[in-house]
C-alpha cells in the first residue's frame, strides 16, 4: 500500500486526479470504477479542468459506479446518477453508453446486481477503482459487518450513514433506507484501487482501516490485503497515523 500525504483538500484532489489521468493516458480504453460523496468532487473538478484544456480524452473510457440509492429516480438531485452527471459526466466526453451506474429503481434487484457484475467482467474488469471512506469505515455502501465475500448486492443503510448523508437531503427521514452497491469482493477484484480521504473527522477511521486488524467491522480494512492500493489523504486525515508514527 502506498500512502501519499497531501497538504490540503485541493492538493489531495490534484494528486488523485493525476493518478486517474495517468491511467487514462496510458490506456485510453481504461475501465474506471467511480465513487460519489463529497470527497471526490475536487478530483472530478481537476479532471474536468484538464479535459477542457485538452490534456485528457475520455472518449474510449468505460465507467462503473460503486453504488446508488434504491427508490430515487436518475433525475432526483440526491441520486448518484444525478451527482455523476452534474459533477463529472455532463462535463467530459465519456460516451453515454460507456457509463454504468446500478439501477436503484429496478423491480428485480437480484437480476440487476448479477447483470451489473457480468457487465464488469465483459469489460475485462475494473482497471482503477476510486473510493471514498465512510465515517463507519464503509466503502461503497458496504457497512460494518458486511461479508467480505459479496459482489453487487442490495443493502440496508446503517443509522450512522443515514445521519451522515442527511446533510445532502435536509431531513434524515428523506434519506433512502436501502441502496445497491458493488460488494467488497467486487471492489477487491479491481486491478488498482485509489482511496481518497480528507479531513480530521476521518483521521480515526483511516487509522483503523489502514493499520488496524482486517475485520468486517471495519470494511475498508480489507484494502490492506489488496496488492495495488494508493491512498491519497490530506494532512488532517493522516494526523493520527502520523502522530502514532505509522508513517
Ligand atoms: C459513494 C460511496 C461512499 C462514500 C463515503 C464517503 O459512492 O461509495 O462509500 O465514498 O460515504 O463519503 P464522503 O466522501 O461524502 O465523506
Amino acid at each position: 500500500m502506498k500512502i501519499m500525504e497531501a497538504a490540503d483538500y485541493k492538493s489531495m484532489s490534484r494528486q488523485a486526479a493525476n493518478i486517474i489521468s495517468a491511467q487514462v493516458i496510458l490506456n485510453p480504453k481504461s475501465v474506471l470504477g467511480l465513487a460519489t460523496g463529497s470527497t471526490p468532487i475536487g478530483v472530478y473538478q481537476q479532471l474536468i479542468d484538464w479535459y477542457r484544456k485538452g490534456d485528457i480524452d475520455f472518449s474510449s473510457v468505460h465507467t462503473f459506479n460503486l453504488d446508488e440509492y434504491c427508490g430515487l429516480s436518475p433525475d432526483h438531485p440526491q441520486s448518484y446518477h444525478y451527482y455523476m452527471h452534474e459533477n463529472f459526466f455532463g462535463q467530459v466526453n465519456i460516451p453515454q453508453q460507456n457509463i454504468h451506474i446500478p439501477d436503484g429503481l429496478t423491480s428485480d434487484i437480484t437480476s440487476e446486481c448479477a447483470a451489473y457484475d457480468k457487465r464488469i467482467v465483459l469489460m475485462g474488469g475494473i482497471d482503477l477503482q476510486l473510493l471514498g471512506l465512510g465515517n463507519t469505515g464503509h466503502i461503497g455502501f458496504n457497512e460494518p459487518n458486511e461479508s467480505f465475500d459479496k459482489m453487487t448486492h442490495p443493502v440496508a443503510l446503517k443509522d450512522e450513514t443515514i445521519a451522515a448523508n442527511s446533510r445532502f437531503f435536509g431531513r434524515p427521514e428523506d434519506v433512502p433506507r436501502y441502496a445497491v452497491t458493488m460488494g467488497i469482493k467486487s471492489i477487491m477484484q479491481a486491478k488498482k484501487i485509489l482511496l481518497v480521504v480528507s479531513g480530521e473527522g476521518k483521521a480515526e477511521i483511516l487509522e483503523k482501516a489502514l493499520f488496524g486488524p482486517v475485520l468486517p467491522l471495519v470494511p475498508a480494512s480489507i484494502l490492506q490485503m489488496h496488492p495495488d492500493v494508493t491512498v491519497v489523504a490530506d494532512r488532517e486525515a493522516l494526523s493520527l497515523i502520523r502522530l502514532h508514527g505509522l508513517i
Side-chain angles (χ1 to χ4, degrees), residues 68-247:
E68 177 58 290
Y69 287 114
C70 289
L72 296 189
S73 65
D75 58 2
H76 187 291
Q78 297 309 332
S79 76
Y80 289 169
H81 279 76
Y82 188 91
Y83 168 108
M84 287 308 300
H85 180 77
E86 288 295 297
N87 291 301
F88 192 44
F89 297 147
Q91 302 181 64
V92 294
N93 64 338
I94 304 178
Q96 188 60 38
Q97 67 273 17
N98 292 8
I99 294 172
H100 308 275
I101 304 178
D103 177 6
L105 288 179
T106 178
S107 54
D108 184 352
I109 195 83
T110 311
S111 305
E112 164 64 16
C113 291
Y116 201 70
D117 291 336
K118 201 169 166 191
R119 267 182 272 160
I120 295 175
V121 171
L122 286 174
M123 289 310 306
I126 290 173
D127 293 306
L128 177 64
Q129 175 68 57
L130 175 64
L131 295 177
L133 177 65
N135 295 317
T136 59
H138 74 209
I139 44 177
F141 270 131
N142 296 284
E143 299 282 20
N145 286 327
E146 181 67 276
S147 158
F148 281 160
D149 204 28
K150 285 192 179 164
M151 300 295 285
T152 304
H153 64 289
V155 283
L157 302 185
K158 291 263 188 249
D159 290 345
E160 211 176 329
T161 298
I162 292 170
N165 289 4
S166 66
R167 71 191 193 274
F168 302 116
F169 285 83
R171 302 182 310 167
E173 51 271 40
D174 293 335
V175 183
R177 268 41 191 170
Y178 295 92
V180 50
T181 183
M182 279 166 56
I184 297 282
K185 191 170 176 183
S186 336
I187 293 170
M188 289 296 281
Q189 285 177 358
K191 290 163 203 155
K192 292 180 205 156
I193 292 181
L194 171 59
L195 176 70
V196 287
V197 193
S198 170
E200 213 179 339
K202 295 275 173 73
E204 199 176 326
I205 193 66
L206 184 60
E207 182 179 22
K208 279 191 188 148
L210 303 189
F211 294 98
V214 177
L215 295 170
L217 189 61
V218 183
S221 65
I222 191 70
L223 299 176
Q224 295 177 41
M225 309 307 290
H226 191 282
D228 193 343
V229 177
T230 303
V231 180
V232 183
D234 61 20
R235 230 172 247 157
E236 292 185 343
L238 285 169
S239 55
L240 286 180
I241 290 176
R242 192 163 275 295
L243 182 74
H244 297 145
L246 298 166
I247 52 168

